Amino acid sequence: MEVRTPDEIPPSAFHLRLALIAGGGPFCDGYILGLIGIVLPLLVHDFHLSADATGLIGASSLLGVFVGGLSGGMISDRFGRKLLYTVNIVMFAAFSAAQFFSDSFTSLLMWRFLIGVAIGADYPIATAYVTEFMPRRWRGPALAGLITFWWLGYVASFLIGYVLISWYPGNWNLVLGSSFVPSSLLLLCRAGMPESPLWLAGAGRVTEARHIVKTFLHTDVSFEGVSTNRMRGGAGRALSMLLSPRYRGTLLFVCTFWILQSAPAFSIHTLQAQILAQMHMRNPLLAACVVTCFTFLGILPVSFGLINVMGRRTLLIWSFILGAAALLFIAAWPGQVGWLVIAAFIIYSAVEAAGSGLQFVYPNELFPTEIRGTAVGFASSASRLGAALGTFLLPLGVSHYGVRTTLFAACTILAAGAFISWRWAPETSGLSLSEASHITPS
């Protein structure tokens, strides 16, 4: 029986398997990026790091994400999703192992940068892969679910890192090298996954695309409306199309909201234990672990369908508003850290995690297949450049102006995000990929 479009394919066990395997990439991403928050106090002690060096080690992997996101997106649009879908996980494992043997600040910076390149490449590949396989009803929750896996990896990094530091005090090499384990397991899981049928159809390989759909989804699909001529110009053609007047406004919206989410979030999460210590928390590392665990209060409902019920636009606007309010409360709190401040940190982490689910949804829905990877890579690169800048500047801001003034600045950034989302954010819930990619934010 033939269905009209890939959006109409009934959900199946393969879709669930694909989403879980794709989620392994964001899990490793979150785990790898989160580990630095655990070992940062040890690195400061062992290498006698200044405030700017502390920010640099926290930002190094994010700078790598900037490089990997853009290059990985263009390569996946040109040569397919499958090529880098496995290669970048090999890079995860190799560079994770290299961190275990690192013995200098310079070498650690290099390995953190290179592992960031691998992480950045996975963002456009995994999200485009899920987008192009998923039926319409599952697409939003599945893409938000990738963020859930990111947060799961991030929380796991804090819990496992805390345990390893407790058992092996001072051994930051072991903590950073532990990401080799999930990376190797994911490498085994991703072996044998097929190419994206939408990408194949866009490249003119319709027969192969239909064969994959029949083999893995046991149905037949018409690719009649898929454009093939724009897939032949290479990476430069995809980038020039992305920057054309047709998509320039959409790209500006996606990059802007992603940057305004990521810049304060990465810096606060990476340096959360140090922020709490500056606010005289008795056990700041344990408190940071507790706060991080509660992020699931925000992202799980989104992944299980709230994103469809609430709508993309409303979710984005309110995540900025509530996050700004939580940071404003923390910054204005007059005394030492108490349970109310911890609760405010939890609220910020939860609503920030909920809003972050849209980082994979909007760019994948608002751009067509032929430039989807390039668009996601460009937006993720821009966001990680902003996050790297925020992570680098936060220790300097705390050192020169204090924790509260720095948090006021982060609150202002989130308020700007709320305004921009109210002004530009479109609603794509319930739309097909073709319909969503014709929307222009205004």
Side-chain angles (χ1 to χ4, degrees):
M1 175 181 173
E2 183 173 341
V3 294
R4 192 160 54 88
T5 68
D7 285 301
E8 297 172 347
I9 297 176
S12 66
F14 175 77
H15 287 118
L16 180 60
R17 175 188 166 207
L18 180 143
L20 292 174
I21 292 175
F27 177 92
C28 290
D29 299 347
Y31 188 85
I32 290 166
L33 292 175
L35 287 175
I36 199 69
I38 289 291
V39 302
L40 200 55
L42 298 175
L43 297 176
V44 170
H45 176 269
D46 287 2
F47 295 123
H48 309 289
L49 301 183
S50 61
D52 55 348
T54 301
L56 185 60
I57 194 68
S60 56
S61 56
L62 297 174
L63 291 172
V65 172
F66 170 76
V67 175
L70 186 56
S71 58
M74 290 191 293
I75 291 172
S76 71
D77 279 341
R78 179 69 181 92
F79 297 105
R81 317 305 187 201
K82 185 178 178 180
L83 175 66
L84 285 180
Y85 196 57
T86 302
V87 172
N88 70 315
I89 303 303
V90 174
M91 296 169 65
F92 277 13
F95 298 142
S96 294
Q99 290 180 110
F100 179 78
F101 298 101
S102 179
D103 60 357
S104 69
F105 177 71
T106 303
S107 65
L108 184 60
L109 272 180
M110 179 183 68
W111 296 126
R112 293 297 295 177
F113 173 80
L114 290 175
I115 207 168
V117 173
I119 290 172
D122 196 65
Y123 289 152
I125 300 164
T127 60
Y129 195 71
V130 169
T131 300
E132 292 161 9
F133 264 104
M134 284 295 160
R136 183 186 315 180
R137 185 156 52 96
W138 278 25
R139 189 174 63 240
L143 288 170
L146 295 181
I147 292 289
T148 303
F149 276 98
W150 191 97
W151 281 108
L152 182 62
Y154 194 83
V155 170
S157 74
F158 269 74
L159 296 177
I160 293 174
Y162 185 79
V163 170
L164 290 176
I165 287 295
S166 300
W167 289 352
Y168 305 96
N171 195 337
W172 55 264
N173 294 83
L174 178 63
V175 176
L176 294 178
S178 67
S179 56
F180 175 81
V181 176
S183 300
S184 300
L185 293 175
L186 179 59
L187 182 61
L188 296 176
C189 292
R190 284 194 176 180
M193 295 299 288
E195 180 58 87
S196 160
L198 270 181
W199 183 88
L200 286 171
R205 297 157 61 180
V206 177
T207 301
E208 294 177 60
R210 296 185 71 171
H211 175 71
I212 286 175
V213 172
K214 287 180 180 179
T215 301
F216 290 89
L217 299 174
H218 311 294
T219 188
D220 197 6
V221 169
S222 171
F223 293 98
E224 186 176 343
V226 177
S227 172
T228 60
N229 59 349
R230 287 180 291 184
M231 299 287 284
R232 298 171 183 167
R237 172 65 173 164
L239 186 59
S240 64
M241 182 179 172
L242 178 64
L243 298 176
S244 68
R246 167 64 184 86
Y247 294 106
R248 196 178 298 155
T250 305
L251 182 63
L252 179 61
F253 160 68
V254 170
C255 289
T256 302
F257 97 77
W258 202 339
I259 288 172
L260 294 177
Q261 279 183 337
S262 298
F266 269 98
S267 55
I268 288 174
H269 289 304
T270 300
L271 301 162
Q272 193 168 70
Q274 291 182 292
I275 292 173
L276 290 169
Q278 288 274 342
M279 299 180 75
H280 308 292
M281 185 71 195
R282 187 169 299 176
N283 191 336
L285 186 57
L286 179 59
C289 289
V290 171
V291 169
T292 303
C293 288
F294 276 95
T295 55
F296 288 105
L297 290 175
I299 191 59
L300 278 180
V302 174
S303 303
F304 283 107
L306 181 64
I307 190 172
N308 288 339
V309 175
M310 191 174 183
R312 276 67 156 159
R313 174 181 166 82
T314 303
L315 176 61
L316 184 62
I317 293 171
W318 279 100
S319 67
F320 274 119
I321 291 174
L322 295 177
L327 289 187
L328 180 62
F329 177 86
I330 297 168
W333 184 256
Q336 294 185 358
V337 173
W339 286 111
L340 286 177
V341 172
I342 296 298
F345 264 119
I346 289 173
I347 291 172
Y348 167 73
S349 295
V351 298
E352 190 276 322
S356 69
L358 292 161
Q359 294 171 1
F360 288 164
V361 176
Y362 265 138
N364 279 286
E365 290 185 335
L366 291 174
F367 296 95
T369 300
E370 54 265 33
I371 59 170
R372 181 169 292 121
T374 302
V376 176
F378 192 101
S380 66
S381 292
S383 74
R384 272 26 180 188
L385 186 61
L389 184 61
T391 303
F392 176 73
L393 292 178
L394 185 65
L396 297 176
V398 171
S399 175
H400 288 87
Y401 304 106
V403 172
R404 300 184 194 281
T405 301
T406 307
L407 289 177
F408 273 124
C411 178
T412 304
I413 292 173
L414 294 180
F419 174 78
I420 287 170
S421 300
W422 170 78
R423 181 68 181 83
W424 283 345
E427 185 53 71
T428 58
S429 296
L431 301 181
S432 69
L433 284 178
S434 176
E435 292 168 336
S437 65
H438 282 87
I439 292 177
T440 302
S442 57

